[in-house]
Amino acid sequence: MKAKSIRIIHLLKWSLNIIWYLNFLLIVVALYFLSNEYIVQDTYYFNEKITINMHKALSEQELISGSETTSNIRLFKNRGRIMMNVNNSVSNTIVSIVSLLLLEGIIIGVLFHLRKLFSSFQKESIFSVDNIRHFKIIALYIALYSPLNWGVHLYRDWILTENVNHYNYLFALDWIPDFVGLLVGAVIFAIAKIFKLGFELEQENKAFV
C-alpha cells in the first residue's frame, strides 16, 4: 500500500513537472497572440456573453451605435452575445498584458509550491513547517484569482459603458461574481491548519519518546 502511494505521488510530481514547463511555452504563445491583437492590429475583437432585457424588442441580430472608438457592434439575441471591434489603445494593451501576467503569476506560484510539496511527500516528509508554508502560499495564490477576475470584468464593463449606446438598458454583461478562488483558497488554508496540528502532534510524540 505504501509503495503504491509513493508511485502515485511520483506520477503526480512528474505530471506537475510537465505542466510547469508546458506553461512557460503557453506564456510565449499567449504573448505572441496578445502582441498581434493589441499592438500590430488597429482594432481588437470584443466578444462577451450578455443578458438581454427581454422587455425590449430586438431582432435576432441587432446593429447598435457606439462611440468613435468602436465599430460593427452587433447583439445576438439567440446566442446572448455582443461582438464588436474596438480601437486599440495604450490602456487596452496594458490591461491585457498585465492581466495575463497576473494570471500566469498565480499559475506559476501554485505550480511551484505544489512541486515543492510533492518533492517533500516523496521524501516521506508530510507534516513539516515547509509543507505548512507551501499550503498557505498556495491558498493565497488561488484566492487572488477571484479579485483578478472581478477586475477584468469591471474593465470590460467600463469599455461597454463608455463605448456602446443603451448599455445596461438593452443588455448587460452576463456575469456573476466569482468566489470560487476565495472558497478553494479557504479550503486549502484549512488543510494547512490541519497539517500544522499534525506537525505539533508529531513533535509532541517525539518529545515524549
Side-chain angles (χ1 to χ4, degrees):
M1 188 70 178
K2 185 178 179 181
K4 185 178 180 181
S5 298
I6 292 174
R7 284 198 299 271
I8 291 172
I9 290 172
H10 180 74
L11 178 62
L12 289 172
K13 186 189 174 186
W14 183 76
S15 301
L16 282 171
N17 285 335
I18 293 176
I19 296 171
W20 170 261
Y21 292 109
L22 182 62
N23 183 60
F24 287 103
L25 176 62
L26 293 176
I27 293 173
V28 174
V29 174
L31 286 173
Y32 168 78
F33 281 106
L34 269 182
S35 61
N36 183 64
E37 181 85 2
Y38 290 97
I39 299 175
V40 177
Q41 299 182 22
D42 295 327
T43 62
Y44 74 92
Y45 189 58
F46 186 97
N47 184 348
E48 289 292 333
K49 190 175 180 182
I50 58 173
T51 300
I52 294 175
N53 187 347
M54 299 309 292
H55 297 292
K56 310 302 174 188
L58 288 175
S59 59
E60 288 302 314
Q61 179 178 337
E62 188 86 5
L63 285 170
I64 59 177
S65 57
S67 69
E68 294 179 354
T69 59
T70 56
S71 60
N72 199 24
I73 306 173
R74 292 162 294 158
L75 288 181
F76 293 89
K77 187 168 69 173
N78 57 337
R79 286 188 259 171
R81 305 201 72 86
I82 181 171
M83 301 178 187
M84 64 181 180
N85 295 320
V86 182
N87 291 354
N88 279 321
S89 64
V90 174
S91 63
N92 289 339
T93 304
I94 291 175
V95 169
S96 299
I97 292 175
V98 169
S99 298
L100 173 65
L101 293 178
L102 288 175
L103 178 61
E104 280 299 333
I106 291 172
I107 294 172
I108 290 171
V110 170
L111 289 175
F112 176 82
H113 288 281
L114 278 175
R115 291 170 76 223
K116 291 289 185 181
L117 269 176
F118 280 99
S119 293
S120 179
F121 292 163
Q122 267 190 315
K123 298 172 185 176
E124 299 185 25
S125 174
I126 306 298
F127 300 111
S128 67
V129 174
D130 284 340
N131 286 350
I132 295 166
R133 181 174 59 85
H134 291 315
F135 271 116
K136 288 182 177 179
I137 294 174
I138 289 170
L140 176 61
Y141 273 118
I142 292 177
L144 287 174
Y145 172 76
S146 288
L148 174 61
N149 187 33
W150 301 340
V152 171
H153 166 76
L154 288 174
Y155 184 71
R156 289 170 177 167
D157 185 80
W158 176 80
I159 289 175
L160 291 171
T161 301
E162 293 294 314
N163 296 290
V164 180
N165 295 337
H166 308 302
Y167 177 58
N168 285 327
Y169 174 70
L170 289 178
F171 68 97
L173 281 179
D174 185 7
W175 182 79
I176 299 174
D178 185 358
F179 294 97
V180 173
L182 293 176
L183 292 174
V184 173
V187 170
I188 295 175
F189 190 81
I191 293 173
K193 289 292 186 181
I194 294 171
F195 268 65
K196 184 179 179 181
L197 179 61
F199 173 74
E200 291 171 351
L201 290 173
E202 196 174 67
Q203 294 301 110
E204 287 178 7
N205 289 336
K206 287 181 180 178
F208 180 76
V209 173

